[in-house]
Amino acid sequence: VSLATELAAIVGAEHVEADVWLTDASGLGASAPLLVHPASAEEVRRTVAWAYERGVAIVPVGGRSGYSGGIVPEGRDPLVAVALDRLNRVRSFDPLLWRIEVEAGVTTATVQRLARENGLLFPPDPGAPEQSQIGGNLATNAGGPHAFKYGVASHWVTGIEAVIAPGELARFGGPTRKDVAGYDLRGLLIGSEGTLGIITSAWLRLMPAPATAIPVIAGYPTIAAGVQAIEQALASNVVPAAIEYLQGDVLQHAPPPFLDASEIRFLVICEAESEAERDALLDALGPGARTYDATAVWRWRGGVSLVVRGVKGEKLAEDIAVPLDRLGEAIERTLEIGARNSLDACSWGHAGDGNIHSTFMFDPDDASDRARADAAAEDLFALARDLGGTVSGEHGVGKLKRGQLIGQWSEAAVGAHEAIKHALDPEGLFNPGTKDPRPVTAALVGDGSSTGIAS
Ligand SMILES: Cc1cc2nc3c(=O)[nH]c(=O)nc-3n(C[C@H](O)[C@H](O)[C@H](O)COP(=O)(O)OP(=O)(O)OC[C@H]3O[C@@H](n4cnc5c(N)ncnc54)[C@H](O)[C@@H]3O)c2cc1C
């Protein structure tokens, strides 16, 4: 009996696919020998139990919007990719208690919309909400502009249901808002990028929606002046809902439709949630600051990444984060790294969190261009470590940034990281090649025509 036939007995023959190309927003891709679409947590459990019994590697697949190649199959054959798209039910919704329980395949936009229609807010706002799933948001512990005030995805989760090795359905927390009875295994699964288990549902916290959202925006002639304005905003005694920046080259590639940015070398966007906050932020950002329509600002901001990708056909967009006092240096040195590697570079990001999307644009059909982009990324990771920061503030490590933690964390800390992986996934079957703290050399599965996975 073939593996596909055995899986068909669990999820139904029409929900088993063979040789499926899996790719995400990073541009990396490879073929999965088998992809299944279970309909329930119980079918996920039976799939994992089946895989664990036979030594089959398991790759969880969410909305495929990740930026680090986390869903790209690699390194093991046999392998089964497990898509969560059919786990798309809202299990319970209690608007008056500010809480909702959803299955992993529910999209981010669905939760945001349900909250909004009930006067509530689900603050995590990673930039591809119609595509990304709650399971993927939690597996990457996603952030977004409003993480500055409201925190990343994990802040909004009181419980997780997940399938762990060797095929058990377990609950970590639930609807209870406080729970310190055990180790924080809920927190451990969040951000684990599918390497410790498969999240099947989550209990999420919501909050009353702020009465208003007012972007306060100002442009500056230099990076230094813009970074100084950010520090003034932080000193203003207001907690802006977001503090974003865009370095001048981004504004040339993706000009904002609501202001003339032709002379601007650095743009700061803060968001106020009351008139008093607006006035304080207008004051902090200086005489050029103005308010704009929130919908227009965030619609444009949400499209920046894709426009920049189109400039040369592809981009390597990283998500390093640095301590706030090193922000200006990280932005300047991103441009230097681009110049040193003969690549057009630019950056934008979540300034308040010191989280910058350093971006190198390249032609995907030009092998030397791509090699220089990979070299630039290595320089960038070294820079993040030099500045006391991290190689990933929000996209996760996936395949792109694996092997980089060893320089960032001490040997003892990396050892603890590996001990946890071994304890929860003793056979190493969950998402092999993803989030590896040390450099590994792994063979691709599939037809080997993957785009640019460095070993
Ligand atoms: C235009 C754009 C803007 C973005 N902006 C932001 C941003 O502002 N902030 C930010 O943090 N991110 C951002 N992202 C990337 C972000 O990580 C994803 O959008 C999102 O969180 C990933 O969700 P997904 O469902 O698409 O996951 P996928 O890409 O499908 O998977 C991501 C990882 O999670 C694992 N995974 C997925 N589902 C599960 C599950 N149920 N259980 C266990 N593991 C699972 C996968 O194996 C993989 O390792 C952006 C992406 C795009 C395309």
Side-chain angles (χ1 to χ4, degrees):
V1 183
S2 73
L3 298 182
T5 308
E6 292 181 10
L7 283 166
I10 299 173
V11 300
E14 66 278 35
H15 302 301
V16 181
E17 297 178 80
D19 297 323
V20 181
W21 185 257
L22 284 181
T23 184
D24 65 7
S26 71
L28 300 181
S31 189
L34 290 165
L35 171 70
V36 295
H37 300 263
S40 64
E42 173 57 15
E43 287 187 6
V44 176
R45 188 199 67 72
R46 288 176 61 200
T47 302
V48 170
W50 170 89
Y52 232 82
E53 208 174 293
R54 283 162 186 70
V56 175
I58 305 154
V59 178
V61 177
R64 313 181 193 195
S65 72
Y67 263 132
S68 61
I71 60 161
V72 178
E74 197 202 44
R76 294 286 283 260
D77 195 1
L79 176 149
V80 62
V82 180
L84 280 302
D85 53 335
R86 293 177 69 221
L87 271 78
N88 57 7
R89 284 166 288 261
V90 175
R91 289 191 180 168
S92 66
F93 183 24
D94 301 294
L96 296 179
L97 298 176
W98 307 350
R99 71 183 190 200
I100 189 167
E101 185 197 356
V102 296
E103 291 185 337
V106 170
T107 64
T108 316
T110 302
V111 174
Q112 290 171 337
R113 180 178 50 75
L114 282 171
R116 196 169 50 243
E117 287 170 358
N118 289 275
L120 298 170
L121 178 70
F122 178 62
D125 57 346
E130 302 288 348
Q131 190 185 347
S132 70
Q133 300 174 358
I134 290 298
N137 294 161
L138 300 190
T140 54
N141 200 4
H146 293 85
F148 175 68
K149 180 168 186 179
Y150 294 113
V152 294
S154 60
H155 288 252
W156 298 92
V157 184
T158 59
I160 290 279
E161 179 191 84
V163 176
I164 56 172
E168 306 284 350
L169 189 64
R171 266 175 68 161
F172 305 95
T176 308
R177 288 171 65 96
K178 292 176 86 180
D179 179 2
V180 294
Y183 293 142
D184 186 8
L185 300 185
R186 177 197 58 86
L188 200 55
L189 278 155
I190 296 173
S192 66
E193 301 179 47
T195 62
L196 300 179
I198 301 185
I199 296 167
T200 49
S201 79
W203 288 265
L204 305 175
R205 289 198 300 128
L206 307 169
M207 60 172 270
T212 182
I214 312 167
V216 180
I217 300 182
Y220 301 91
T222 62
I223 293 172
V227 170
Q228 196 186 354
I230 289 167
E231 290 180 2
Q232 281 161 209
L234 288 170
S236 69
N237 272 338
V238 168
V239 185
I243 309 181
E244 299 278 298
Y245 85 93
L246 297 103
Q247 180 264 326
D249 294 281
V250 182
L251 303 171
Q252 309 308 315
H253 298 311
F258 46 84
L259 62 79
D260 175 11
S262 52
E263 302 294 317
I264 295 175
R265 301 311 301 151
F266 196 92
L267 194 76
V268 176
I269 305 173
C270 288
E271 189 169 87
E273 292 185 331
S274 70
E275 289 177 4
E277 288 184 3
R278 176 200 61 195
D279 292 346
L281 290 171
L282 280 169
D283 201 35
L285 293 190
R290 301 275 180 280
T291 60
Y292 295 88
D293 174 66
T295 308
V297 169
W298 293 117
R299 185 182 300 128
W300 162 74
R301 169 66 185 83
V304 160
S305 178
L306 288 180
V307 176
V308 173
R309 185 178 188 178
V311 171
K312 281 283 185 81
E314 195 46 277
K315 66 175 169 56
L316 245 181
E318 297 301 344
D319 63 317
I320 64 167
V322 297
L324 273 184
D325 54 318
R326 311 306 291 272
L327 181 66
E329 208 177 335
I331 296 169
E332 299 272 13
R333 286 175 66 185
T334 291
L335 299 178
E336 286 168 26
I337 289 172
R340 197 160 62 236
N341 289 282
S342 310
L343 292 168
D344 286 333
C346 61
S347 77
W348 66 91
H350 315 305
D353 286 325
N355 188 189
I356 87 170
H357 295 315
S358 301
T359 300
F360 307 105
M361 291 159 270
F362 65 93
D363 174 355
D365 298 326
D366 180 336
S368 94
D369 234 25
R370 175 176 280 282
R372 279 182 283 112
D374 287 340
E378 289 292 325
D379 290 353
L380 186 75
F381 300 144
L383 170 67
R385 287 189 290 261
D386 270 5
L387 297 179
T390 175
V391 297
S392 180
E394 59 175 16
H395 294 160
V397 167
K399 312 289 183 305
L400 269 183
K401 278 160 278 187
R402 65 177 175 211
Q404 299 290 342
L405 190 62
I406 190 70
Q408 181 178 319
W409 284 13
S410 71
E411 184 59 37
V414 171
H417 189 281
E418 290 169 330
I420 284 166
K421 169 71 175 171
H422 185 68
L424 290 187
D425 182 19
E427 304 296 330
L429 294 176
F430 279 112
N431 218 351
T434 291
K435 217 173 174 76
D436 285 329
R438 296 176 203 275
V440 286
T441 309
L444 293 168
V445 297
D447 60 7
S449 56
S450 156
T451 54
I453 294 182
S455 58

